[in-house]
Amino acid sequence: MLELFQNDGSPSTRFHPLESYRVPKPQRETRTHLIFTSITCLPPSQDLSLKAIPSFSLTFSPSKHHRHPKFRTRLSIRMSSTQGVVEHIVLVKVKDDTEPSKVNAMLNALNSLANLDCVLHLTVGPLLHNGANTTTSDLRFTHMLHSRYNSKEDLQAYNANPNHIGTAREFLLPIIDDLMVVDWVAGDPSLPPPATGSALRISFLKVRERDEVKDEVLGAVRGMKDSVRGIGQFSCGENITPERAKGFSIASLAIFPGKRELEGVDWNEGLVNKVKEHVESMVVIDYVVP
């Protein structure tokens, strides 16, 4: 309080110096709702493109605590995706004279890639069988890596990750004679990871070059889930990365509870006889999740 006096000492005026500086009451809280569409950023060597992928929304609200000078926000994100899980299969043939310690180092290094944020599931190990139904004699593999991703963009991020590139250069490429990679969109966004001990049968088909034939073959492959007993989980689709697939364009993955259920299946009756007249060659391999 400030008090002013006249010349004779009597009080003249009293006022509070902060009255004119009163802070107004906070305005009613407001919210801003923004809709964004994701932009996919590709490596510098590729063109920047906009993908037709689901949008997401952001909601901002200012903090109710006005005494702190910093502006605070509460952020909520809602996302949805209908693309489906992306399957990634790598088949390799380890050189015959490779020391077992180098093979183990390769497996340990590849298994460590399961810790990357973009990876949903990853398993790697020796094949159970190289497939009696494989029709191409020069494609004989020894080991397989199977991994899953939420989207094609996550698979691209995995392929470009420095840890992945370094692991392949240091532990994988020096000890192998051959490599084959096939990727496809499974179409089911909720596939659970294969359990330890479950048995996988992977089939790759090289289809004769006619679109109507490819559709017929893909339809026969999709029918496997219902026509073959014992399959617990099934995915199939067209290969989306043809560069390292050796011409194979259709892939399928059948997961059985265990080795016994897998070995009780007649794959000739289930798939081979249905598509053999339209297929140029086939690779069938079996694998048990360690």
Side-chain angles (χ1 to χ4, degrees), residues 100-249:
S101 60
K102 292 184 178 181
V103 176
N104 290 333
M106 174 196 73
L107 296 177
N108 290 334
L110 292 174
N111 265 315
S112 70
L113 298 177
N115 297 319
L116 298 179
D117 290 340
C118 54
V119 177
L120 288 178
H121 161 76
L122 187 148
T123 178
V124 60
L127 295 179
L128 175 63
H129 303 300
N130 200 27
N133 294 306
T134 296
T135 59
T136 306
S137 59
D138 59 338
L139 293 180
R140 295 293 171 180
F141 301 101
T142 60
H143 293 75
M144 185 189 84
L145 180 145
H146 170 227
S147 55
R148 281 178 172 167
Y149 307 86
N150 266 326
S151 65
K152 296 177 185 179
E153 290 74 24
D154 281 355
L155 174 59
Q156 291 172 354
Y158 167 80
N159 286 330
N161 188 284
N163 290 335
H164 169 252
I165 295 172
T167 295
R169 287 176 177 172
E170 182 177 356
F171 296 99
L172 176 66
L173 298 179
I175 66 170
I176 64 172
D177 279 330
D178 199 6
L179 177 144
M180 177 174 166
V181 182
V182 179
D183 307 309
W184 71 96
V185 179
D188 185 345
S190 60
L191 287 176
T196 300
S198 58
L200 282 58
R201 174 158 288 174
I202 297 96
S203 302
F204 298 140
L205 308 178
K206 186 182 293 185
V207 182
R208 303 188 191 283
E209 304 243 345
R210 292 204 310 276
D211 289 340
E212 63 273 15
V213 168
K214 181 180 290 187
D215 292 341
E216 183 177 342
V217 171
L218 192 53
V221 172
R222 290 195 180 106
M224 293 287 293
K225 186 175 187 334
D226 297 324
S227 63
V228 176
R229 295 176 57 186
I231 296 179
Q233 190 182 131
F234 187 80
S235 76
C236 66
E238 290 191 56
N239 179 37
I240 59 175
T241 52
E243 297 83 6
R244 296 173 293 173
K246 300 183 184 294
F248 290 87
S249 58

Side-chain angles (χ1 to χ4, degrees), residues 74-88:
R74 184 175 73 247
L75 174 64
S76 64
I77 300 178
R78 298 191 303 273
M79 300 188 68
S80 63
S81 175
T82 57
Q83 185 183 57
V85 169
V86 177
E87 306 275 19
H88 176 63

